Amino acid sequence: MISAAVVAAAIGFVPNVAQASDQPADRTGSVAAAIDSAKAAAVASAVFHSPAERTVRKATTTPADAGRNGKAAAAPQAAGAGAVKDNPGLAVDLRASGTTAHGISLASRISTSVESSIRVEINWGDGQTETSHTTNAKLLKADHKFAEVGTHKVTVTLTDLDNNVTATNSVDVQASGSKFTPHGPTRLLDTRDGTGAAAGPVLPYGTTRVKIGGNSGIPAGATAVALNLTVTNARSAGHVTAYPSGTEQPDTSNVNFVAGQTVPNMTIVPVGADGYVEFVNRSHGDVDLIADVTGYFTRTNASGYTSLDPARIVDSREGLGTSRGQVNGQSTFPVQIAGQAGVPSRGVTAVALNVTVTNPKSAGHLTLFPSGQQAPSTSNVNFTSGQTIANSVIVPVGSDGRINIRNGGWDPADVIVDVVGYYSPDSKAAYLPVTPTRLYDSRKWSVVPGQDYSYLPLADGKPWVTGYVLNATVTNTQGDGHLTVAPDTNTWAQYIGGTQIRPTPPNSSNLNWTKGATVPNLVQASTGKTGVIDLWNRSWEPTDMVVDMFGLYEY
């Protein structure tokens, strides 16, 4: 495979301009395999069955029969009536399974006592039907994509055209996708004071858990939850991993930290069958954990998601989206969301943002909340004096299309906001949570050079996948910098053929780091028009990158 650097040189790019680092074919192939495996596991539990014994048989006279004998069509007769004596074995067994966030596969096992002309009609329960024919026992398979998630009654009707008998069976199915409901920022867990769990820090390599389903107005059937997870009072370096209760601990991370550090990170984590989410402290010291909820996902027709190319809507350093100059301590300013950077002017229930604090004069935190409400006692970004730090945020949008940002510190700080997507009832993409899965680790391949990028063909050939929920981590950082994740304008085929054109990174950032730091952040990554996603090292020095997948959006 030809590297992007070689192609760039051939078409006249100067050598010191950022180019894509080499992408081994087996590495990119393993990314696709990991995604397919995680997705298959996520939908495997969605199995629905209605046995053949539930089939209801009725006698009928078809319009064609009436035309042949000149008599009016007879009314259907209940099963067991004398007229239902031919083809007593006519029945259908139904078994459906999930395939995508919106899709299912239906297997109809048809049985019949005699060889005859049988019409098979599938009513998908959403206004769509399809018809086929058979003359004997057969297994028919059909795939279907529902416009909306939720429960649908699928009905299969067999009509024996030779013996005037119908046989009908139904099965209730539910696609695996979930849609989003915003939740006013609420603290569900704080091990410092015993909120949501026993008071006291999480022991080294120990776990704690927090109830999600049925807690604080979250329904018992929640499939995933959006949490801002904060680590504080850490005694040593390590990381915390969030995962659904009742499952194995994954080999991924959500929050990385060093001793004495307070670090937040957004996470969208599947909820266990018992309604709980668990956290494991993978460090040699105690840590305190704080978890604030901002929304949840259910298999109901709530708000879908629309991915956007990252766009900057607030930068206090330039007066973009707010007054020019630092945001004073203990002050709040509004941000217009509706009608900005691709967000529609109405109907938006929540917005996905990346929020960065820089140049703070002292330690503090930012709190984001919908307009028209009081500031909650939660936090989204925690910072120390002089630190530049970013965090992904999902925040409900007020009825006036705005959100508020409060600087909870005592001194001024600069605030930067990039929008990456939004939730609304008109958005089609549903969320499919998966077991946390590692997609990419440059430590196994090659470090990403400064002002360079790596590309991942996450949704190549899958236009129905519009975004991924990723946790991106930089480590072994050899200088200060920031990471930008954005869709690529090149297709995977162009990279394979060596005909790609260098993309231009947007003026946005997903996480910031200083030399020697290990920094994670949640990324809601748009797949753009090609399904290829770029990871830009916006530093002048090399760094390693690790990418874990937590779910995907698809319509």
Side-chain angles (χ1 to χ4, degrees), residues 227-242:
L227 296 173
N228 195 67
L229 179 62
T230 303
V231 173
T232 190
N233 300 326
R235 298 290 185 89
S236 68
H239 66 269
V240 168
T241 297

Side-chain angles (χ1 to χ4, degrees), residues 112-333:
T112 177
S113 300
V114 296
E115 184 175 322
S116 57
S117 178
I118 300 171
R119 183 177 68 234
V120 183
E121 181 180 79
I122 303 175
N123 185 329
W124 293 105
D126 60 354
Q128 302 296 314
T129 62
E130 60 182 86
T131 303
S132 60
H133 292 80
T134 185
T135 58
N136 47 35
K138 190 174 184 180
L139 175 64
L140 294 179
K141 293 186 177 181
D143 293 328
H144 186 70
K145 180 183 289 186
F146 295 104
E148 299 294 345
V149 299
T151 301
H152 302 271
K153 182 180 288 293
V154 177
T155 301
V156 176
T157 300
L158 310 179
T159 302
D160 186 334
L161 301 176
D162 295 331
N163 294 289
N164 300 335
V165 179
T166 64
T168 302
N169 197 359
S170 298
V171 59
D172 290 330
V173 302
Q174 194 171 57
S176 300
S178 302
K179 291 198 171 182
F180 184 75
T181 299
H183 191 289
T186 305
R187 185 145 294 172
L188 299 184
L189 174 70
D190 191 336
T191 60
R192 299 171 302 178
D193 61 16
T195 299
V202 184
L203 298 177
Y205 294 92
T207 62
T208 190
R209 63 204 309 256
V210 61
K211 184 173 177 60
I212 302 297
N215 186 14
S216 189
I218 302 172
T223 58
V225 62
L227 296 173
N228 195 67
L229 179 62
T230 303
V231 173
T232 190
N233 300 326
R235 298 290 185 89
S236 68
H239 66 269
V240 168
T241 297
Y243 60 99
S245 175
T247 65
E248 293 185 7
Q249 295 181 4
D251 295 326
T252 56
S253 62
N254 295 91
V255 187
N256 296 68
F257 52 87
V258 297
Q261 196 175 25
T262 296
V263 185
N265 196 17
M266 185 75 187
T267 181
I268 298 178
V269 58
V271 178
D274 61 358
Y276 280 81
V277 166
E278 300 199 13
F279 308 96
V280 56
N281 168 23
R282 290 190 172 127
S283 78
H284 293 294
D286 298 347
V287 298
D288 277 308
L289 297 180
I290 304 166
D292 302 321
V293 62
T294 60
Y296 57 86
F297 295 83
T298 55
R299 292 192 176 103
T300 60
N301 189 22
S303 291
Y305 184 69
T306 298
S307 296
L308 297 172
D309 289 357
R312 185 146 293 173
I313 59 173
V314 172
D315 191 337
S316 63
R317 300 169 302 180
E318 303 174 0
L320 175 64
T322 187
S323 300
R324 185 183 181 93
Q326 291 195 307
V327 179
N328 289 328
Q330 299 296 303
S331 70
T332 300
F333 69 94

